[in-house]
Amino acid sequence: MKPVGIIHSPYKQRREARSRTNRSETISRIEVFEEFEEGLRDIEGFSHIIIIYWFHKSYGYSLLVKTPWDDALHGLFTTRSPDRPCPLGLTVAELVAREKNILTVKGLDAIDGTPLLDIKPYVVPIDERSVVKAGWFEGKLGKGKR
Amino acid sequence: MKPVGIIHSPYKQRREARSRTNRSETISRIEVFEEFEEGLRDIEGFSHIIIIYWFHKSYGYSLLVKTPWDDALHGLFTTRSPDRPCPLGLTVAELVAREKNILTVKGLDAIDGTPLLDIKPYVVPIDERSVVKAGWFEGKLGKGKR
């Protein structure tokens, strides 16, 4: 698994990113390595993209975790904790601009230097579901899209 | 990167999965390895989960690809092709049932034996965006949620 780019972000430490996971307005720059630039053709036609990245500052994990939202212990796979067996991060971000191999995005809370693994188009009929149950998140983050 | 489980699916070959990527009703069983079962605590409270998996039948990639939806060449990162530099698959699936470490899901089009890398909760305020531009997908898949 070789990264396809690197994320440049104002966040230098984990705790800065962690406290801002809801409705972030943060601007980040995604540098896609030049050898992959051709794979970005026409990406500027999309207002939102899915970013998959490596939580490279994750060391170990617990199967039950506390989150910033309440005091209960939750199953790790019901949380977005960066400390996971496969430390993969996933964010749907707004694509603000593209300049060659550099994408400027809003709403990505990865820390500076995070390895980029993949970019996918965000497509409503593929990626959105009519959710009926949000588990322990219910009522914690509001109901609407951001 | 060690898998946390394995996906059992009616699809035995790539082409079976490929032709059904939109509005799939396929039922699959996700076997989370027993050592990770505790991390599933209360996951049955969620109607939808995000599945990240390894496209283990992917060999190589092109940066410009044709898709089932039109005859144009598209930048790889604007497509959901399984042939990518980091062959990571991503599906939001409906969680139909849980029995210990086995999750039954609807709408996952991975092939049988696919390594499971991660499960995350699907949470509307985190994962949905008010999309204004869907690039070359515009008008191809309908506009609504599935």
Side-chain angles (χ1 to χ4, degrees), chain A residues 81-111:
Chain A
S81 167
D83 298 318
R84 331 178 63 85
C86 291
L88 296 170
L90 168 68
T91 300
V92 182
E94 182 182 343
L95 179 57
V96 175
R98 174 194 173 187
E99 176 74 30
K100 291 180 178 168
N101 63 322
I102 307 292
L103 306 179
T104 302
V105 298
K106 186 192 284 189
L108 175 60
D109 286 324
I111 61 176

Side-chain angles (χ1 to χ4, degrees), chain B residues 62-99:
Chain B
S62 302
L63 291 174
L64 296 176
V65 297
K66 271 191 60 171
T67 71
W69 291 291
D70 64 25
D71 290 326
L73 281 174
H74 296 290
L76 175 60
F77 298 116
T78 74
T79 78
R80 304 296 280 250
S81 167
D83 298 317
R84 329 177 65 83
C86 292
L88 296 171
L90 167 68
T91 300
V92 182
E94 182 181 345
L95 179 57
V96 175
R98 175 196 171 184
E99 178 73 31

